[in-house]
Amino acid sequence: MTIDWQREVESRKDELLEKLNAFLSIESVLDPDTAGEGAPFGKGIDQALTYMLELGKENGFSVKNLDGYAGHIEYGEGEEIVGILSHVDVVPAGDGWTTPPFSPDIRDGKLYARGAIDDKGPTMAAFFALKIVKELGLPLSKKVRLILGTDEETYWRCMDHYFKHEPMPVMGFTPDADFPLIVAEKGFLDISLRGEVPSGEPVAEGEDTWTLASFTAGQRVNMVPDLAKAKLVGEGDVFGLKEQYQEFLLSRRIRGYAEEADDHLMLVLEGVSHHGSEPGKGLNAALELIRFLKEKVQLDADGQRYVNFAHRYLVDSFFGEKMGLAQSDDIVGKLTVNAGVFQYEREQSHLVRINVRYPISGDHETILREIDELARPYGLRVEDVDHKAAHAVDKNHELVRTLSQVYEEQTGQQAELLAIGGGTYARALDVGVAFGPLFPGREETAHQKDEHIMVDDLLKATAIYAQAIYELAK
Ligand SMILES: [Zn+2]
């Protein structure tokens, strides 16, 4: 039997866009103020989850709501479950939109709204895909569950709750990233290194010595910081230091300036932000300022220790070389280290936060232990750690083979298997890959103003998902 999946989608286009329009109009942003029993993440997210589950019920599917944390829409028979994992929550709208973010608008073949591509558009595509399979009366030997998460943009508490109460699918995909297929993702560790303060070390004395009063850079551990500031106090030669700083900036072609106030000198350095999965790109403002402080400034003991740690292990070491952590595999490549946040307040807080992304073969406990050992002599130790294990599905797995084949059949393009340093929702599944909805070469607008998806791409994705569901569960 040959099925024209694209035609099946086209004949439901108006209905799909109408339902999606209503779904996108719900402001499903995390809102603790309206959270309560059965709606742990607030009213908007609860409304969006309920909307999808009601739609499922109206279309004759069995549905389940797990205390407002997550839900699923189910079709098919059998012991095994194929999962499709998407989410109904969105990030806050932000400013600068051409049309209101929660009033969907189609212009030049593009559907604009917060959530259009991340992840309400794809959720609706997956729903219509399941609906098509059902309406064609295709026999399935497995159950298919469209699992709806509600906290993907924050802490994934939805998935913790869901999988506490429901079985893990034997395999599945998430329409929450890129086509063709993302089959491998590095593990990652967000590590906070904290100092025991105050140490009571005396302030610096002497003519050419400065005390580091504060050092700050970065707000997010998974971004390259684009601004760093060091506040120095002391009796040193202000003019000489300013001159040296200018020379340093000039020689390294970096932007920045020194600002003199009554009781201190502030050194400001401007870098270039970049995603923390590629820490060597962009320009890490903190590490450049550390380089200057280490090479040119005689600091007090506490300040020196903090600067020395960063200089010894983080400067010029985006692949963990200086910490002895360099490793790679031929699936996702090299381990990376992003030094994302620095907060040093003399006698108050000594903090460095780093984001380590390690290959599939890496061992996170060894990595943590080694970093802790290196940091201790500098008065820092590993405290808070957020860990997500590396994730990979074998390229010969039935899931990967089937989805590749469907993608190639429907697009005429080769289904290149992607391995990334970032993370996708597929990690929530034991055997899961990311599969669309962003096609190669398309502009990435998730989390940005004027987020959109091309309407034709949305329909194409729906057709691909419909065939994928059928092939995986038949
Ligand atoms: Zn998403």
Side-chain angles (χ1 to χ4, degrees):
M1 174 175 48
T2 44
I3 298 160
D4 187 341
W5 299 99
Q6 188 70 34
R7 212 193 63 198
E8 296 297 334
V9 174
E10 294 292 343
S11 71
R12 293 166 178 84
K13 176 181 169 181
D14 293 344
E15 191 191 354
L16 190 161
L17 290 175
E18 180 202 319
K19 299 299 180 196
L20 179 54
N21 188 77
F23 187 38
L24 288 169
S25 301
I26 303 167
E27 195 170 340
S28 52
V29 175
L30 176 66
D31 180 16
D33 290 345
T34 58
E37 183 80 33
F41 307 120
K43 282 218 169 88
I45 288 176
D46 182 53
Q47 242 182 60
L49 177 63
T50 306
Y51 178 85
M52 284 309 301
L53 295 178
E54 284 299 320
L55 188 62
K57 226 190 296 178
E58 279 165 27
N59 282 274
F61 293 103
S62 64
V63 305
K64 188 166 182 180
N65 184 339
L66 288 103
D67 313 307
Y69 278 90
H72 66 234
I73 297 172
E74 183 185 291
Y75 179 63
E77 301 292 331
E79 284 294 297
E80 296 185 332
I81 299 166
V82 171
I84 307 153
L85 177 60
S86 71
H87 63 94
V88 304
D89 59 315
V90 295
V91 294
D95 301 320
W97 286 73
T98 307
T99 49
F102 296 103
S103 303
D105 189 43
I106 296 178
R107 305 189 291 276
D108 305 326
K110 296 170 186 164
L111 170 60
Y112 290 85
R114 172 59 81 227
I117 196 152
D118 181 19
D119 189 39
K120 287 157 116 179
T123 297
M124 195 56 79
F127 175 75
F128 269 77
L130 193 58
K131 181 171 147 76
I132 288 168
V133 172
K134 178 171 176 284
E135 288 173 358
L136 291 176
L138 298 170
L140 301 183
S141 69
K142 299 187 184 88
K143 276 192 196 108
V144 180
R145 279 184 179 176
L146 172 54
I147 302 170
L148 304 163
T150 59
D151 186 36
E152 191 276 339
E153 299 296 358
T154 316
Y155 296 119
W156 294 27
R157 289 164 288 192
C158 49
M159 289 298 104
D160 294 341
H161 188 89
Y162 183 83
F163 287 118
K164 223 177 269 171
H165 299 278
E166 294 293 328
M168 179 58 68
V170 288
M171 59 183 159
F173 64 85
T174 182
D176 190 29
D178 301 346
F179 277 126
L181 267 87
I182 300 172
V183 297
E185 306 171 18
K186 284 180 185 169
F188 70 82
L189 288 161
D190 286 345
I191 303 167
S192 294
L193 294 160
R194 264 177 225 285
E196 318 109 356
V197 280
S199 76
E201 307 251 8
V203 292
E205 279 176 32
E207 273 184 19
D208 283 322
T209 313
W210 295 87
T211 296
L212 185 63
S214 71
F215 184 91
T216 52
Q219 279 156 11
R220 291 173 54 188
V221 70
N222 62 352
M223 298 296 290
V224 173
D226 60 358
L227 188 71
K229 292 180 179 182
K231 185 176 171 184
L232 302 173
V233 296
E235 309 290 306
D237 172 11
V238 173
F239 183 77
L241 189 61
K242 280 171 74 174
E243 210 170 48
Q244 275 189 320
Y245 189 50
Q246 283 312 322
E247 267 170 36
F248 171 83
L249 293 174
L250 216 61
S251 71
R252 295 192 61 81
R253 298 164 188 267
I254 297 173
R255 290 156 60 99
Y257 56 92
E259 212 171 47
E260 213 181 318
D262 281 351
D263 61 344
H264 69 262
L265 180 67
M266 184 74 88
L267 303 180
V268 179
L269 193 143
E270 294 171 19
V272 180
S273 190
H274 192 82
H275 195 262
S277 59
E278 297 174 314
K281 297 191 178 171
L283 177 72
N284 191 312
L287 298 182
E288 289 303 324
L289 193 49
I290 291 282
R291 190 196 303 276
F292 174 75
L293 292 173
K294 168 70 184 171
E295 289 174 4
K296 305 290 182 191
V297 186
Q298 182 65 38
L299 287 175
D300 64 293
D302 276 356
Q304 213 173 76
R305 210 158 48 151
Y306 185 78
V307 165
N308 282 351
F309 170 74
H311 190 266
R312 172 78 182 80
Y313 293 116
L314 300 172
V315 171
D316 297 330
S317 182
F318 301 120
F319 302 104
E321 305 95 319
K322 288 186 175 176
M323 291 195 285
L325 294 175
Q327 52 189 289
S328 69
D329 63 23
D330 47 18
I331 306 171
V332 291
K334 291 178 174 175
L335 175 145
T336 59
V337 177
N338 183 57
V341 179
F342 290 80
Q343 282 167 11
Y344 178 94
E345 291 286 340
R346 185 174 160 75
E347 292 187 32
Q348 285 176 44
S349 111
H350 296 185
L351 172 71
V352 180
R353 293 182 62 201
I354 60 179
N355 175 236
V356 176
R357 293 171 190 251
Y358 62 88
I360 309 299
S361 54
D363 173 47
H364 77 279
E365 282 176 6
T366 310
I367 294 169
L368 279 176
R369 196 175 52 240
E370 286 178 6
I371 292 175
D372 189 61
E373 272 171 25
L374 298 175
R376 279 184 186 253
Y378 296 84
L380 296 166
R381 58 169 180 265
V382 169
E383 281 203 351
D384 308 321
V385 177
D386 181 16
H387 175 233
K388 287 206 173 80
H391 180 82
V393 179
D394 191 280
K395 62 180 194 300
N396 295 313
H397 192 284
E398 176 193 352
L399 174 69
V400 176
R401 281 189 290 116
T402 305
L403 296 183
S404 302
Q405 198 188 325
V406 168
Y407 182 83
E408 290 181 354
E409 210 173 289
Q410 291 219 24
T411 63
Q413 307 287 317
Q414 209 202 325
E416 193 197 343
L417 304 182
L418 308 174
I420 62 169
T424 79
Y425 214 18
R427 274 177 209 259
L429 299 170
D430 282 355
V431 180
V433 299
F435 190 44
L438 192 70
F439 285 95
R442 293 285 193 249
E443 190 188 354
E444 168 68 87
T445 59
H447 296 205
Q448 297 170 35
K449 66 180 180 185
D450 287 342
E451 174 180 346
H452 62 264
I453 187 166
M454 311 256 310
V455 174
D456 285 346
D457 288 358
L458 179 72
L459 302 179
K460 173 52 77 184
T462 307
I464 291 172
Y465 295 152
Q467 187 182 358
I469 290 168
Y470 174 60
E471 303 286 350
L472 291 173
K474 73 181 178 191

